[in-house]
Amino acid sequence: MDPHRLFTILNSATLAGWVLLWLAPRARVTQRLVYSGVFSLLLSAIYLAILLPHFTTEDLRAFNSLEGVMRLFQNPWVMLAGWVHYLAFDLWVGAWIGRDAAARGSSRLLVVPCQVLTLMLGPVGLLVYVALVRRALPSGRP
């Protein structure tokens, strides 16, 4: 399979996980696949499977400079691995936000925008959630 097709498949599958978080947060399938971390762990395994044949120990030196990282990402397989890295971690964080918000009794109207920001801008969604929602509702208080 070529990296472009795999990119499309993985993006679509991951978006399904996000949709479950947004539209069916209490559903059994969401609990089993997304909140449990199974989905993110599967993406992590795919990340490793993509990275291993296309990354050498010599490539580790490239992380010492922006130019080196840019050279690495010229390889479509390494770029795909980097994207899957984002998919796995962002979904993991989005699921954590959902679990934490449920435990705090946070409104879905506040949580879902934070999760959307996490999908689109990763750390920005986490920052907004922690700064606004989590901070406003300490654990155990409605």
Side-chain angles (χ1 to χ4, degrees):
M1 183 178 300
D2 72 285
H4 303 281
R5 177 129 171 89
L6 192 53
F7 173 89
T8 301
I9 291 167
L10 294 173
N11 257 2
S12 298
T14 304
L15 185 56
W18 283 101
V19 169
L20 287 171
L21 280 176
W22 300 329
L23 300 181
R26 293 187 180 104
R28 176 177 243 143
V29 66
T30 308
Q31 299 292 323
R32 288 188 175 177
L33 295 179
V34 185
Y35 285 129
S36 70
V38 167
F39 213 120
S40 290
L41 292 172
L42 179 60
L43 286 168
S44 298
I46 292 168
Y47 166 78
L48 185 61
I50 294 169
L51 195 62
L52 283 177
H54 302 285
F55 194 81
T56 67
T57 54
E58 294 171 14
D59 291 333
L60 290 174
R61 289 189 218 119
F63 287 104
N64 290 331
S65 70
L66 179 58
E67 292 80 14
V69 172
M70 289 170 60
R71 272 193 313 277
L72 280 177
F73 285 142
Q74 289 176 355
N75 177 332
W77 285 105
V78 174
M79 185 65 207
L80 177 61
W83 185 248
V84 174
H85 177 278
Y86 282 118
L87 293 176
F89 271 57
D90 288 355
L91 186 59
W92 182 275
V93 172
W96 174 82
I97 288 171
R99 286 189 312 272
D100 186 73
R104 294 170 183 280
S106 298
S107 165
R108 302 275 317 137
L109 293 174
L110 295 174
V111 172
V112 171
C114 295
Q115 289 174 320
V116 171
L117 281 172
T118 301
L119 167 64
M120 300 305 293
L121 301 171
V124 173
L126 176 62
L127 181 65
V128 170
Y129 176 74
V130 170
L132 299 180
V133 179
R134 192 169 198 260
R135 186 174 170 161
L137 284 170
S139 183
R141 291 190 183 163

